[in-house]
């Protein structure tokens, strides 16, 4: 469908196609759901979560699952940021941290408590190193 802009804008004589919305109703619902569940990639909770795992207090067996969930979310956001900003392509150390972060994030938390705490700590150290490198590479302006 085309219309002339003469009725909308005097002097405009070029044909104009009708607007086509970029999404269907289902597509808009998916976008809305993603926006509603979005969390910033770096916030004050990242360092709190890292500190909770690396602190002198060893997480209990009941706390391991929640810590793992939170650290995985932080890893996902920082890894995505490093890849999208192309820092991972420019800095070999960041590329190594991205690969380590992806691997750790996808691994199951071991059932044995001692090994589970070790896994959490590896995730936390990777997060801390990746955050430090992203700040150094000016991908992030400053640590939270």
């Amino acid at each position: 469908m085309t219309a002339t802009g003469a009725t909308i804008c005097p002097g405009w004589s070029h044909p104009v196609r009708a607007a086509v919305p970029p999404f269907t109703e289902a597509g808009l619902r998916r976008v809305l759901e993603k926006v509603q569940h979005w969390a910033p990639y770096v916030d004050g909770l990242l360092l709190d979560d890292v500190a909770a795992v690396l602190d002198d207090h060893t997480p209990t067996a009941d706390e391991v699952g929640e810590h793992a969930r939170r650290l995985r979310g932080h890893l996902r956001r920082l890894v995505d940021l490093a890849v999208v900003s192309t820092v991972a392509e420019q800095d070999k150390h960041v590329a190594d941290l991205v690969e380590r972060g992806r691997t750790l994030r996808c691994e199951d938390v071991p059932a044995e408590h001692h090994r589970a705490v070790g896994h959490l700590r590896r995730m936390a150290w990777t997060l801390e190193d990746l955050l430090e490198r992203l700040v150094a590479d000016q991908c992030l302006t400053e640590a939270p």
Side-chain angles (χ1 to χ4, degrees), residues 4 45 69 85 93 109 111 114 120 134-135:
T4 61
L45 295 177
R69 184 188 66 76
S85 67
H93 188 68
V109 178
H114 179 71
L120 291 178
L134 292 175
V135 170

Side-chain angles (χ1 to χ4, degrees), residues 46-106:
L46 186 149
L47 293 179
D48 291 344
D49 291 340
V50 167
V53 171
L54 297 178
D55 201 0
D56 291 337
H57 166 73
T58 302
T60 66
D62 294 335
E63 297 172 328
V64 167
E66 179 62 18
H67 283 300
R69 184 188 66 76
R70 293 172 69 99
L71 292 175
R72 281 186 180 122
H74 294 308
L75 275 172
R76 182 184 49 79
R77 287 187 290 274
L78 284 186
V79 163
D80 289 350
L81 176 65
V83 171
V84 168
S85 67
T86 68
V87 172
E89 295 173 9
Q90 301 164 8
D91 185 333
K92 170 113 173 71
H93 188 68
V94 171
D96 293 342
L97 289 169
V98 163
E99 187 60 33
R100 186 182 331 152
R102 285 178 172 158
T103 301
L104 288 169
R105 189 182 76 215
C106 294

Side-chain angles (χ1 to χ4, degrees), residues 103-133:
T103 301
L104 288 169
R105 189 182 76 215
C106 294
E107 289 178 359
D108 290 332
V109 178
E112 182 186 335
H113 182 255
H114 179 71
R115 291 181 184 267
V117 170
H119 182 73
L120 291 178
R121 290 185 172 159
R122 283 190 296 280
M123 284 197 292
W125 280 116
T126 302
L127 265 168
E128 188 172 63
D129 290 346
L130 185 55
L131 178 63
E132 186 177 295
R133 291 301 310 166

